[in-house]
Amino acid sequence: RMFGVSRPVVRQALLRLGADGLVQARQGAGTFVMARPADRLSHFTNPEHVAEFLRAHEIRLVLEGSAARLAAERRTETELARIVAAQETCTREAQEGSLSPEADLAFHASIAEATGNAYFSLLFRQLHEAISGFMSLSLQLTHTSTSKRITQVLHEHALILEAVQMREPEAAQISMQFHINQARRRMIDRNRD
């Protein structure tokens, strides 16, 4: 009644919020808020875009997890050098206090390129706009948070790089999926700030 919408509209909204991990429905008890984004999130983007970013995140989880696995199996020394260089750029920018979405994207793109399968890079580029928006928002939240947050991002990148470097496919996939899930959690849960 308050918003002037029907029950099916509210039900659909609650399903979407549940899929995003923001609420949880408990039969007979009601719907409970599980995570609440930081208040400053609305300063950096329109809240409508967050749902779009989270949809792209679901694709990233599968795509980039598999890309990291294949990169660990197939990467050449030249491709490894590109991944290392991208990570060094991220680290340098973070130390200067200005980690850019472009540097973060370059790290992820270099892993997609190291799969030896051009379709991974093609799909990554097609998702680029949504991924870029997600990374940009995530980094804006990071820049306005404690230094612990950026340290965690760099540590997650280092774990991915190490697994690719050591040719450990399972560890690379798990590390990438962990990193992407942590990025999502940092965005939607103010308690991870």
Side-chain angles (χ1 to χ4, degrees):
R1 268 182 260 169
M2 189 167 100
F3 292 105
V5 296
S6 64
R7 285 183 183 180
V9 171
V10 171
R11 205 172 298 122
Q12 185 64 30
L14 289 173
L15 284 172
R16 292 293 295 263
L17 291 169
D20 291 337
L22 297 174
V23 299
Q24 182 180 53
R26 296 185 191 139
Q27 193 169 0
T31 302
F32 299 87
V33 175
M34 302 305 292
R36 203 170 147 205
D39 291 331
R40 67 187 189 286
L41 182 74
S42 62
H43 297 292
F44 303 124
T45 191
N46 185 326
E48 295 168 7
H49 294 143
V50 175
E52 180 183 321
F53 296 154
L54 295 176
R55 299 288 90 70
H57 168 270
E58 291 173 349
I59 301 300
R60 283 188 69 199
L61 192 62
V62 175
L63 177 71
E64 293 195 57
S66 296
R69 172 181 278 283
L70 292 174
E73 292 173 356
R74 302 174 178 171
R75 58 98 180 144
T76 65
E77 290 303 315
T78 302
E79 290 164 338
L80 178 60
R82 283 190 206 116
I83 298 168
V84 168
Q87 174 64 356
E88 288 172 353
T89 299
C90 286
T91 301
R92 186 182 69 253
E93 286 188 6
Q95 289 170 345
E96 295 168 356
S98 63
L99 178 57
S100 67
E102 294 78 20
D104 199 5
L105 274 169
F107 175 77
H108 289 267
S110 65
I111 291 171
E113 290 168 10
T115 64
N117 182 334
Y119 286 107
F120 276 95
S121 294
L122 176 67
L123 289 169
F124 189 84
R125 282 192 301 275
Q126 287 179 337
L127 279 173
H128 174 49
E129 187 175 318
I131 293 171
S132 179
F134 180 92
M135 287 182 174
S136 180
L137 176 58
S138 188
L139 289 173
Q140 286 173 324
L141 289 169
T142 297
H143 291 311
T144 59
S145 189
T146 66
S147 61
K148 180 180 171 187
R149 188 170 170 148
I150 193 68
T151 302
Q152 186 60 41
V153 170
L154 293 174
H155 176 68
E156 291 163 14
H157 276 199
L159 292 175
I160 297 163
L161 173 58
E162 180 182 350
V164 170
Q165 215 164 15
M166 301 302 291
R167 296 190 182 275
E168 295 176 354
E170 189 172 340
Q173 182 172 9
I174 290 168
S175 296
M176 180 63 82
Q177 290 174 331
F178 176 77
H179 170 58
I180 292 170
N181 273 326
Q182 289 302 100
R184 181 184 185 280
R185 286 186 178 114
R186 285 187 287 266
M187 179 181 291
I188 67 166
D189 190 353
R190 69 173 53 197
N191 294 327
R192 298 208 177 242
D193 223 2

